[in-house]
Amino acid sequence: MHISDKRSIHIEELKEVNNIVISDLVALTLNIVQGGASVGFMQDISEEKASEFWNNVLAKVQQEKTVLLVAKDSSSDQIVGTVQLQIDLPQNQPHRADVAKMLVHSAFRRLGIAENLLQHLELIAKKMKKSLLVLDTVTDSPAYALYLKCGWKVVGNIPNYALFPNGTPCNTTYFYKNLE
């Protein structure tokens, strides 16, 4: 995919792990949290804590409980975006999956990366015979607008559901998408 500012981004499913991958994912997470995004971490997050988080995610990838997509800048091979499809759900929910941790580096926003990641993830979910996807995001955020644009339906809003990294409460909206 060629981006308008001459950057070339490619999406891939991450299955193999090395120190460079962990380092890129940690740097991406720190960038997102320092930018104020509510993605499960507070602003005092350390590299060690972010690394521990990604090692846990990658263990779930190895166990085939999570699908992890990354967006890489073709010129540097740096990971500039990621999203997860969590497929390790209860036995009575084999038809659905949860979308989690959509992250795009602040220097690479507004280039269509999140939408591209989402489209790839939806294709993978369909191949896995998933007919329903669910996610949550900060109400009225750029991600909220993206999900609406991409055909996701609002379930509802929960006031003060989570915190921004600085400790300020934020409202959360739950979305779903039928893939059939």
Side-chain angles (χ1 to χ4, degrees):
M1 168 175 140
H2 290 285
I3 306 296
S4 60
D5 74 349
K6 307 287 190 242
R7 289 183 175 157
S8 179
I9 305 293
H10 65 277
I11 308 293
E12 63 184 63
E13 184 176 346
L14 195 63
K15 293 187 178 188
E16 298 300 318
V17 182
N18 60 45
N19 289 337
I20 294 170
V21 166
I22 297 288
S23 178
D24 278 1
L25 290 169
V26 167
L28 175 61
T29 303
L30 295 177
N31 172 266
I32 298 298
V33 174
Q34 290 164 356
S38 177
V39 292
F41 303 104
M42 301 309 286
Q43 64 189 24
D44 64 351
I45 185 174
S46 64
E47 286 186 23
E48 180 183 15
K49 192 76 161 168
S51 180
E52 179 183 320
F53 169 79
W54 284 109
N55 278 307
N56 287 336
V57 170
L58 293 164
K60 291 178 184 174
V61 169
Q62 296 292 315
Q63 298 165 10
E64 299 182 358
K65 294 179 176 184
T66 297
V67 175
L68 180 63
L69 294 184
V70 294
K72 288 187 173 183
D73 179 9
S74 296
S75 64
S76 67
D77 212 33
Q78 174 189 359
I79 295 173
V80 297
T82 186
V83 67
Q84 298 172 38
L85 185 67
Q86 297 173 340
I87 54 178
D88 185 32
L89 298 177
Q91 195 174 27
N92 69 339
Q93 299 170 37
H95 61 290
R96 75 170 198 88
D98 292 344
V99 176
K101 297 290 187 269
M102 171 74 78
L103 310 176
V104 176
H105 193 281
S106 61
F108 290 81
R109 297 222 176 110
R110 307 236 141 307
L111 300 174
I113 294 170
E115 187 172 354
N116 199 345
L117 282 164
L118 199 56
Q119 289 168 349
H120 275 76
L121 202 66
E122 289 175 13
L123 289 173
I124 289 170
K126 285 179 184 179
K127 287 179 186 172
M128 298 177 87
K129 308 256 189 271
K130 304 296 180 185
S131 59
L132 178 67
L133 298 180
V134 178
L135 62 80
D136 68 85
T137 195
V138 174
T139 304
D140 296 328
S141 65
Y144 178 100
L146 168 72
Y147 298 130
L148 287 175
K149 174 186 170 193
C150 293
W152 288 71
K153 305 292 182 208
V154 171
V155 175
N157 300 316
I158 303 173
N160 302 320
Y161 183 78
L163 300 175
F164 285 111
N166 67 5
T168 305
C170 62
N171 300 339
T172 298
T173 300
Y174 274 82
F175 284 87
Y176 74 93
K177 187 169 188 180
N178 283 311
L179 298 179
E180 294 179 323

